[in-house]
Amino acid sequence: MKFKIFAAIAALSLTQCTSLNLEQCKHSDWYSLGMTDGNSGSASSTLNGYIEDCREFGLGVNTEQWTAGYRAGLENYCQPENGYKLGLQGSYYNGVCANNEFVKRYNEGHRQFEIKNKIARIQSRLKDIERELTQVNKKIHAKQDVASNKEDKKSLKNERHDLEKELMLLRIGAADILPIQLLF
């Protein structure tokens, strides 16, 4: 039992970087390592890195075991709902799934992620514009470079108008996929 826990921890730690040391090359549970790589959606080329690392020590990699574990891990990773979750988190997808439904759900989730981020950027810029307008108004009231500040004010108001329009269009277009609390 302790060995299985150790092997699982070792396999997880190996995914943190692609470089294997001598002990890892000697004692790796290649099936578990492959499964961990598959479960995380790593590219199959990860195996090539292991082969190169272990070759430096004159050791081989059990590619059959790694591949079997990798395929089993991909079966878990390539589930459509996992694709949606990964897309929603903005996670990178390596193109390892042959499952079209996974890709479809990943794209749906990623689209929602991008819209949320764009809305957040627009809202942040709108807050910045309000601060800038407050400063410009203070300068105008203080009679500081009035003509230039009035131009700045006009430019800021135009930018605010354009961003508010874009925000409204994003919310309307995203109404079918964004939760209600993000829309208002």
Side-chain angles (χ1 to χ4, degrees), residues 79-95:
Q79 295 299 312
E81 283 313 304
N82 189 47
Y84 180 76
K85 182 181 96 181
L86 292 167
L88 193 58
Q89 295 168 347
S91 297
Y92 181 75
Y93 168 56
N94 284 316

Side-chain angles (χ1 to χ4, degrees), residues 111 115 119 164-178 182-184:
R111 178 174 174 246
I115 290 170
I119 287 172
E164 287 171 341
K165 182 178 173 183
E166 185 177 359
L167 188 59
M168 180 189 70
L169 291 173
L170 278 170
R171 287 177 170 160
I172 290 169
D176 60 329
I177 62 171
L178 287 177
L182 290 175
L183 296 176
F184 303 100

Side-chain angles (χ1 to χ4, degrees), residues 14 17-20 25 30 33-34 37 42-57 59-64 66-67 70:
L14 292 177
C17 67
T18 59
S19 178
L20 300 180
C25 286
W30 295 108
L33 182 55
D37 290 338
S42 297
S44 61
S45 61
T46 301
L47 177 61
N48 296 334
Y50 298 149
I51 292 170
E52 288 178 29
D53 291 341
C54 292
R55 185 179 297 143
E56 289 179 20
F57 303 113
L59 298 170
V61 170
N62 189 325
T63 58
E64 292 81 20
W66 183 91
T67 301
Y70 180 74

Side-chain angles (χ1 to χ4, degrees), residues 101-162:
E101 192 61 27
F102 172 91
V103 175
K104 177 183 171 196
R105 295 293 288 152
Y106 173 83
N107 288 334
E108 289 169 0
H110 200 266
R111 178 174 174 246
Q112 185 173 350
F113 170 79
E114 289 176 336
I115 290 170
K116 285 181 187 178
N117 281 343
K118 186 154 191 160
I119 287 172
R121 284 192 307 271
I122 290 172
Q123 289 172 331
S124 176
R125 179 61 187 140
L126 286 171
K127 287 178 184 177
D128 290 344
I129 288 172
E130 291 308 315
R131 281 192 224 81
E132 291 174 35
L133 281 170
T134 299
Q135 293 302 317
V136 168
N137 283 331
K138 285 179 183 178
K139 290 177 183 178
I140 290 171
H141 291 301
K143 309 279 190 221
Q144 295 176 355
D145 199 13
V146 175
S148 175
N149 282 312
K150 283 187 176 183
E151 264 312 300
D152 290 345
K153 182 176 180 177
K154 181 180 178 183
S155 176
L156 287 167
K157 284 184 169 187
N158 286 337
E159 183 181 359
R160 179 178 64 190
H161 178 267
D162 291 344

